[in-house]
Amino acid sequence: MSFVKFLGIGSAVPEKILSNLDLEKMIDTSDEWILSRTGIAERRIVEPEVATSDLAYEASIKALEDASMDPEDIDGIVVGTITPDYIFPSTACVLQSLLGANNAFAFDVLAGCSGFIYALHVAKGLIQGGGSKNLLVVGAETVSKIMNYEDRTTCILFGDGAGAAVITTSDTPGILSSCLGANGDGGEFLYMPAGGSRMPTSEETLKNGSHFLRMEGKEVFKEAVKALQSSTLEAIKLADITPDDIDLLIPHQANYRIIEAVRKRLKLPEEKVFSNLDRYGNTSSASVPIALDEAVKSSRLKRGDIVVFSAFGAGFTWGASVVRWQ
Ligand code: ACO
């Protein structure tokens, strides 16, 4: 069986900044409350005419350039997103058309904030199964489009962005392990009630805001801490390494208190945990690949290092992956 490695990485965030001070003018909150409870100072928000595929396109072009590849070299595109351009066709198909990736199959993965880790796991399997060589794996979101900016318990948390990676076959191990998990019983704690077959969009759903994201923050928080800790430990065990071998942990950027709980459980020093939460908030599926791109560009992650990704999201879903960075 062949190994799989990362060949290129890229990310894109909108220019427009929504700061805590801006939010103070919109809802009953304060910069101090948001910073101390979440670690978030600002987030990026797209303009109304920008869709998820537009950010995915920008990030993908950068990842392809980084990999020295043309869109035609890509065999398949897997996009993790909870904010697709449409319910159908998939955002991956929209992206395939934008890129002119004429030799690629394309599909979306819907796994909440674990979308990129799920997409990576699936793409790795497709390569190791022998059917594919070069795959584009993307996490892209415009969470602002499903946000109720009158709900202070959710709108302070999320932002928009995209990250993309080209992965390919390798003679030496790159992705050392990955594992996924889910617990559908947690679905009611983080979801968007309307717009699907259970509750199609109607005048009523628009009136009561059922097409916005809803979350029971406390329930999500507890489960996030547990699942991030256990899945990270599972991926480490599968890769046959110990926490001491980790050079950098890139956790899902949801809340610094969640990240701290995972860091302490793994007994990692602060400098071994990457965070850009203060600048982007929670960008859902895009959070891990944006952080990965920044870690590489800022030389926090170097060739030969062991990096661990872990994520948790709506579903509930979770997943982790250990990679030797090449
Ligand atoms: N500003 C000021 N006060 C607020 C705000 C706000 N923005 N939001 C809530 N409060 C108030 C509450 O009303 C409450 O007031 P009360 O005591 O009078 O009732 C008080 O602050 C405390 O609220 P809590 O909900 O207990 O605050 P907590 O410390 O739990 O923090 C938070 C809330 C930040 C949402 C936290 O629960 C959290 O981060 N949860 C996880 C969220 C998450 O990561 N979600 C994404 C997962 S991934 C995905 O797939 C999308």
Side-chain angles (χ1 to χ4, degrees), residues 23 27-30 33-34 36-38 40 82 111-115 141 143 151-158 190 213 215-222 224 252-258 282-285 311-317:
L23 284 167
I27 46 169
D28 180 16
T29 192
S30 68
W33 192 97
I34 302 173
S36 62
R37 297 290 179 118
T38 70
I40 301 166
I82 58 163
C113 297
S114 312
E141 304 284 7
V143 196
D151 176 5
R152 67 177 185 172
T153 66
T154 53
C155 74
I156 56 153
L157 297 171
F158 294 92
L190 179 51
L213 175 150
M215 183 176 73
E216 296 288 334
K218 272 192 194 313
E219 292 300 326
V220 176
F221 190 100
K222 276 189 288 186
H252 173 45
Q253 308 287 308
N255 184 318
Y256 89 94
R257 291 183 292 150
I258 298 177
N282 181 347
T283 57
S284 187
S285 295
F312 175 86
F316 293 134
T317 60

Side-chain angles (χ1 to χ4, degrees), residues 69-245:
M69 272 192 190
D70 292 322
E72 284 87 1
D73 298 328
I74 296 295
D75 306 322
I77 302 172
V78 190
V79 175
T81 185
I82 58 163
T83 48
D85 287 27
Y86 315 100
I87 287 186
F88 67 89
S90 69
T91 301
C93 280
V94 179
L95 178 61
Q96 187 239 21
S97 168
L98 288 173
L99 288 169
N102 302 321
N103 300 313
F105 60 79
F107 62 93
D108 287 357
V109 169
L110 204 170
C113 297
S114 312
F116 181 78
I117 304 293
Y118 263 63
L120 183 65
H121 182 93
V122 169
K124 170 178 172 277
L126 290 171
I127 291 176
Q128 289 185 320
S132 304
K133 184 167 161 40
N134 307 319
L135 295 184
L136 181 63
V137 184
V138 183
E141 304 284 7
T142 47
V143 196
S144 63
K145 305 267 180 153
I146 58 165
M147 211 33 64
N148 179 356
Y149 283 99
E150 291 177 359
D151 176 5
R152 67 177 185 172
T153 66
T154 53
C155 74
I156 56 153
L157 297 171
F158 294 92
D160 302 335
V166 175
I167 63 169
T168 190
T169 52
S170 170
D171 295 333
T172 51
I175 301 176
L176 304 181
S177 73
S178 67
C179 59
L180 304 180
N183 175 10
D185 293 345
E188 64 186 300
F189 298 119
L190 179 51
Y191 78 130
M192 195 170 82
S197 60
R198 180 69 64 194
M199 197 190 288
T201 305
S202 66
E203 211 173 306
E204 192 58 30
T205 64
L206 288 175
K207 240 189 262 165
N208 62 29
S210 302
H211 52 285
F212 291 128
L213 175 150
R214 293 214 181 139
M215 183 176 73
E216 296 288 334
K218 272 192 194 313
E219 292 300 326
V220 176
F221 190 100
K222 276 189 288 186
E223 291 305 313
V225 170
K226 270 194 273 176
L228 282 170
Q229 288 176 343
S230 61
S231 61
T232 306
L233 287 169
E234 189 185 338
I236 286 172
K237 196 169 164 208
L238 284 171
D240 203 16
I241 63 165
T242 69
D244 283 347
D245 298 318

